[in-house]
Amino acid sequence: MYFRELPNPLLTDQLYEKFSEAVGATTDEEQLVRMQDVIQQLPAPHYRTLEYLMRHLARLAGNCSVTNMHAKNLAIVWAPNLL
């Protein structure tokens, strides 16, 4: 709920279009490179928060046998709150 109510989303309104373009890349490799480039453009506090959150979500996905939250499920739940 915290991330949903931020006045400026974690991935920022200013970079929304660039994130959309990165996701629309034709190959997985190109998508990864573009996504990394856009993430590097985040303001430092946003970047640090995203880094911490991604580590936490990776731990959850790593324990999917216990949490039933695979990476795809986590993306479905979290993506709307971060963008």
Side-chain angles (χ1 to χ4, degrees), residues 29-72:
E29 186 175 314
E30 183 183 357
Q31 191 178 49
L32 179 62
V33 169
R34 285 184 175 191
M35 193 65 72
Q36 288 173 331
D37 179 55
V38 179
I39 288 171
Q40 292 297 317
Q41 296 177 42
L42 286 169
H46 291 244
Y47 181 89
R48 286 190 307 271
T49 303
L50 181 64
E51 180 181 32
Y52 184 85
L53 179 61
M54 291 299 109
R55 286 183 184 181
H56 173 68
L57 294 176
R59 276 191 303 252
L60 286 176
N63 291 310
C64 63
S65 61
V66 176
T67 64
N68 275 339
M69 291 300 284
H70 301 274
K72 186 174 181 177

Side-chain angles (χ1 to χ4, degrees), residues 1-7 9 53 77-78 80-82:
M1 191 167 199
Y2 170 81
F3 289 103
R4 191 177 330 152
E5 294 180 2
L6 287 173
L53 179 61
V77 171
W78 279 92
N81 295 309
L82 301 180

